[in-house]
Amino acid sequence: MEPFLTAGRWLVNIGGNFRASIGNAPPISTRRGNADMVVSSVSRRLAGLLLISVPFMTAVAAEAVPIPPIEVQPIDVVILVDESGSLSASAVSQERAAASLLAVGEFSSKSRVEVVGFGSKNTPDQDALDMVCPLTPLGSREDREAILNCVQELHPRTAAEGNDTDHAAALGRALATLRDSGDDQRQKIVFLLTDGILDVQRSLNYGDSPAVRQAAAEDYIQAHLTEATKLGIQVWPLGFGKADPAQLRGFAVGKPCNNMGDSKPRAQLIKDEREVFAAMVRAYAAARCAGSEVAESQTVPSGGSREYQLRIPVIATDASITVSKRNPRFKVTYIDPNGKTVPKSGEFDGSTFQVNGEDTPVEGLQIRLPRPGTWKVRVEAAQDAKPEEVVAAVTWQGAVHSSITLDSPNPDPGKEVVVRSRLQTRKGVVVADDDLSALRFSVDMTGDGVPGTVHAELNDSGAGPDRKAGDGEFAGALTIPPGASGALEFVGIVDATGVQGDRIPYQTTVAKPGEQVRTVVDIPQQTIAPGDDATGTVTVSNETGKPISATLVLEELREGDHIEVVDPDVRLAVGQSSTDVTLTLAADSAEGDVPGVLILRDAADPAKVYGQGFLKLRVAQPPSPVPWILAALTLLAVITATYLTGRIRAARVRGDVQDLTLVLYQGDREMGPWRAPIGRNRRLTFVIRDTHTDHPYLDRPNQGDLTYEVVRAGRGAGLVLRGPGGEQYPVRPGVPQAVGDGVAIAVRDGRLDRRPEPAPGAYGSDPFDQPSHYSNDPLM
C-alpha cells in the first residue's frame, strides 16, 4: 500500500507547492484571534475546496488618486510643397501623397496641420504662396477628409502663376503660422518638400537685380532659420530632382523631441521621386519621436493583389498603418497578428480602429492600443484597374507617463538625493524588454537658488542606487546645490525610439531647518490575486524629538485598480522605527501591473510629504487547481494500476511451477525424472501409471484419470503435493514423499539451483529452511 500512501501525501501537498507556479508570490497575512496565519493565495483557494474558511479582514479605506489619462502629445505641423515648373505630374502626385500622410496617420486628434504650396512672385498679380489647406485641426474624420481633399489642389505652376522657387517666402509663412499658433507647449514641425534650389531672380519683392534678389532671399532664409532655432521649431527638408544637397542641409534646424540621434532634424536627398512618400514617413516618425517601418513597394497588377508585412512592438500605444495606393479604387484589408481581419471603424479585440481616406489615393488606419506583432496589409485591384506601385508603412508611438519619487521628499541643500522614476503606458507599468533595450531615462532639476539645470541619468541595471535590474524602476542620484533655497522641480526625460514621455513635473521644496525625518516606503515586487493582500514596510528615522502622525495615501492608480490601505494611519516614533503595511485588493481589481505610488503624508498637513515608494505589484488570477487535481488523480490511478499489475505479475511469478522436475521412486529405486511442461502455470498436474508393475511412470493426465498436482503455496513459495482424494503433503525439495502403492514422489526445484549458497548459521528455525537429511540425494 505504500504507493497509495505516497500518492495521497503528494496530492495533499499540492496546495502548498502552488506558490512556485505563480512566481514567488508573497505571503498573505490574515488575522485569526491573536495569531497571524500565512497562506498563499492559491493555497487559500485550495483550502476553500476542502471547506476551510478564512476570516475576513476589514480594510480602512484610504484616499486613492487615479493617474490622468495618458495620451500622445499633439503637434502643429506646416507642410511646404514645392509647385515650381520643373515638377513632373508624377512628382506632384508623390508630393500630394506625402502631404496626405499626416491627415491619415497623425495619432492625436488635437494636432493641427497646414499645407502650403509655393512657387514665386514674379509679377504684381502673382503670389509666391498657395494656401492649399489652412491650419486645420484633426479632431474628426471630416477634418481629416478635408485635408485629403484640399491637397489635391497642389499642382505644377505655369509661368503665369510664378513657377520659380521661393524658399524664403515658404519658410516665412510656416514660422508665422507656428509662432502664432497659441500653444508654446506643442511640438512644432515644418516639412519642406522641394525639387529645386532657391530661385528668386525674377521676384521683384527682393530687389532690383537678380543677384540682389538672390542674396536678399538667402538673408531672409537665414533669419527664418535662426528664429526657428530660437523658438524650438523643427525644419525637416526633403529634396529630390535638382535640389541642392548643401542648401538642404542648411535648412535642417530645430530642437529635437528627445536626445536620440534619429530625432535631430536632418535633410534627405531622394534620388527617385517614387521614394518621396517613404521618406516622408521616416521624417515624420523621427520628428514626432515615433517608430516607423516602410515595407518594400510592390506593383499591384490588374485584378491581382499584394501583401505587405509591418511590425508593431509591445511598447506601442498608438499606431497608424498608411497605404499610398494612388488609385482610390484599390481595396485595402488589415489583418492583425492573430490572423484576424480587423474592422475599419469601431472596437475589436481590445483595440479601437478608425480608417481615413479609404476612397482617396492615400488611406490610413489609426489604431489605439494595437495588438503587438506582425500585421499584414492586403491590397487588391479591380479587374479593370491600371497596375500601380503601392507603398505600405506603419508609424507607432508609446505614450508614457513618468512618475518620480525622491528618497528624501524635502532634500537638504548640499546633500545627495536619490531620484526614482517609472514609466507607465495605457497598458500598465513598462518593464524593460527587447523593445526598450535602447531606453535612456534621465531627470532635470531646477529651482530657487539653483544655477541652471542639474541633470542626472537614471538606470534600471541594478547598479548604483537602482535596487533591482529590469524591474521597471529607474534610479539615479544628484546633489542639491548648496544655494538651493526654496521650490524645486524635477522633470523626467524619456529617450527611446518610438517613446515620448510627458513632462509632468514633480515639485517639492528644500528641507527647512530642524526637519530631520528620513523614510523608506517599500512595497516589494510581488504577484497577487484579486481579493488578496500585498505587504510592505515603512522605515522611518525621526530625529525631530517628537512623534509625528502621518497617513498613507495611494495615488496614480489605474481606473480599474481597487486597492485600499489597511490601517493607513502611521505614528512616526522618535528615533528608528518600522511599520508593516498591508494593501488589500478588491475582488474586481483589474489584472496587470499596478502603477501606483504609496505616499506618506503628514496627517495635519497633507501637502507635507515624508516619503513615497512605487508599488511593484502584478495582479493575476492564480492558476486553477482543477487541472492539478485532475493530474494528481490521473497519476494516482496510474500508480494504483501499476501497483496492482505488479502485484498480480509477482503473484504469478511466485506461483509458477515450470521450474519443477518430478522424480518417481518405487521403494529405493528411482524410476526417472519428469519435467513440468514449458510455459507459465500455477499447477503441475500429473498421474502415476502402472503402479502395480515393475515400471511405474509419470504422465500427463487424460480425462477421467485420478490426478496429482504440485503447487507453490504462500509468499515463501513452499511446495505442496495434493493427491487424488484431496489429501495434501508438505514437500521438501528433493525429499521423496510416499503417496501409496509403494511409490513416492520427490520434487526438484530449479529456483533453488539459482540461489546463492547461504552463509553458515543463516538458516532459521523453520524446518523447511534446514538442510535436508537427503543431502546426498542426486536431486539436491
Side-chain angles (χ1 to χ4, degrees), residues 331-355:
K331 178 184 176 182
V332 183
T333 305
Y334 305 90
I335 304 167
D336 73 9
N338 287 341
K340 298 178 181 178
T341 298
V342 301
K344 294 190 175 183
S345 178
E347 297 184 359
F348 174 76
D349 198 21
S351 302
T352 303
F353 302 90
Q354 180 57 61
V355 73

Side-chain angles (χ1 to χ4, degrees), residues 476-535:
L478 57 80
T479 300
I480 307 299
S485 58
L488 299 176
E489 182 174 278
F490 297 80
V491 177
I493 302 169
V494 183
D495 291 318
T497 299
V499 178
Q500 187 176 44
D502 57 20
R503 295 296 182 97
I504 298 177
Y506 174 88
Q507 296 174 329
T508 185
T509 60
V510 297
K512 297 178 182 178
E515 287 187 337
Q516 297 174 312
V517 179
R518 297 289 183 270
T519 64
V520 175
V521 179
D522 184 26
I523 306 297
Q525 192 167 0
Q526 49 198 288
T527 299
I528 52 179
D532 285 338
D533 300 334
T535 59

Side-chain angles (χ1 to χ4, degrees), residues 359-408:
D359 298 324
T360 69
V362 179
E363 178 177 328
L365 181 70
Q366 291 179 273
I367 314 172
R368 183 180 174 90
L369 293 180
R371 176 171 289 279
T374 300
W375 286 66
K376 294 180 180 179
V377 180
R378 184 180 299 122
V379 181
E380 301 172 83
Q383 290 291 342
D384 59 345
K386 179 183 176 182
E388 294 284 0
E389 188 172 16
V390 175
V391 181
V394 64
T395 52
W396 56 266
Q397 190 167 69
V400 299
H401 166 75
S402 57
S403 300
I404 293 177
T405 68
L406 306 182
D407 278 8
S408 177

Side-chain angles (χ1 to χ4, degrees), residues 46 307 389 413 576 645:
L46 190 58
E307 196 168 85
E389 188 172 16
Q576 303 286 331
T645 301

Side-chain angles (χ1 to χ4, degrees), residues 24-36:
N24 297 323
I28 294 115
S29 298
T30 59
R31 297 178 183 174
R32 178 173 293 174
N34 294 324
D36 286 341

Side-chain angles (χ1 to χ4, degrees), residues 173-194:
R173 171 62 199 186
L175 262 64
T177 296
L178 298 177
R179 184 196 312 117
D180 301 331
S181 64
D183 190 343
D184 293 336
Q185 301 303 314
R186 288 179 181 237
Q187 188 180 349
K188 300 178 180 182
I189 308 168
V190 177
F191 294 105
L192 173 62
L193 282 66
T194 180

Side-chain angles (χ1 to χ4, degrees), residues 39-345:
V39 293
S40 76
S41 60
V42 176
S43 297
R44 179 182 300 181
R45 283 160 174 73
L46 190 58
L49 296 175
L50 302 176
L51 302 181
I52 298 176
S53 62
V54 179
F56 177 76
M57 174 187 291
T58 301
V60 179
E63 178 187 6
V65 181
I67 192 172
I70 303 173
E71 304 293 344
V72 292
Q73 299 173 23
I75 58 176
D76 281 347
V77 177
V78 176
I79 304 174
L80 303 175
V81 181
D82 193 339
E83 293 182 311
S84 59
S86 59
L87 285 165
S88 65
S90 62
V92 172
S93 177
Q94 294 292 339
E95 286 185 321
R96 290 181 189 137
S100 300
L101 174 66
L102 272 72
V104 299
E106 164 56 20
F107 309 125
S108 175
S109 61
K110 297 180 181 179
S111 294
R112 295 177 292 189
V113 175
E114 179 174 284
V115 180
V116 180
F118 68 92
S120 61
K121 181 179 175 63
N122 299 339
T123 64
D125 60 339
Q126 295 175 351
D127 197 330
L129 304 177
D130 183 4
M131 293 302 302
V132 175
C133 307
L135 192 64
T136 303
L138 303 178
S140 68
R141 184 177 182 181
E142 291 74 20
D143 293 330
R144 294 174 183 261
E145 295 285 349
I147 296 177
L148 290 172
N149 290 330
C150 65
V151 297
Q152 301 308 312
E153 298 177 14
L154 292 168
H155 65 284
R157 291 193 178 200
T158 64
E161 294 174 303
N163 60 354
D164 294 330
T165 308
D166 189 347
H167 296 132
L171 288 170
R173 171 62 199 186
L175 262 64
T177 296
L178 298 177
R179 184 196 312 117
D180 301 331
S181 64
D183 190 343
D184 293 336
Q185 301 303 314
R186 288 179 181 237
Q187 188 180 349
K188 300 178 180 182
I189 308 168
V190 177
F191 294 105
L192 173 62
L193 282 66
T194 180
D195 78 328
I197 60 177
L198 174 68
D199 182 6
V200 291
Q201 297 182 62
R202 296 186 293 172
S203 297
L204 304 179
N205 288 351
Y206 292 105
D208 55 8
S209 70
V212 170
R213 293 165 185 163
Q214 284 288 111
E218 290 173 357
D219 289 342
Y220 277 116
I221 289 174
Q222 291 306 314
H224 294 326
L225 296 176
T226 299
E227 182 181 6
T229 302
K230 181 179 178 180
L231 296 176
I233 297 173
Q234 301 180 36
V235 179
W236 290 77
L238 286 78
F240 54 97
K242 299 180 180 179
D244 180 11
Q247 192 176 77
L248 288 175
R249 287 192 294 270
F251 287 144
V253 298
K255 183 180 179 181
C257 55
N258 63 23
N259 295 316
M260 302 291 288
D262 287 346
S263 65
K264 183 178 180 180
R266 62 187 182 279
Q268 292 188 67
L269 183 59
I270 306 161
K271 296 181 179 179
D272 188 337
E273 65 185 27
R274 292 176 297 179
E275 295 293 324
V276 171
F277 180 80
M280 184 67 176
V281 170
R282 297 187 182 99
Y284 162 68
R288 216 219 187 287
C289 281
S292 68
E293 182 179 6
V294 181
E296 184 176 353
S297 64
Q298 302 180 69
T299 298
V300 181
S302 301
S305 66
R306 291 291 182 266
E307 196 168 85
Y308 305 79
Q309 294 190 354
L310 300 165
R311 180 179 174 273
I312 299 178
V314 174
I315 187 61
T317 58
D318 298 83
S320 291
I321 298 176
T322 52
V323 181
S324 176
K325 55 188 179 178
R326 302 184 69 175
N327 189 333
R329 297 176 58 201
F330 279 23
K331 178 184 176 182
V332 183
T333 305
Y334 305 90
I335 304 167
D336 73 9
N338 287 341
K340 298 178 181 178
T341 298
V342 301
K344 294 190 175 183
S345 178

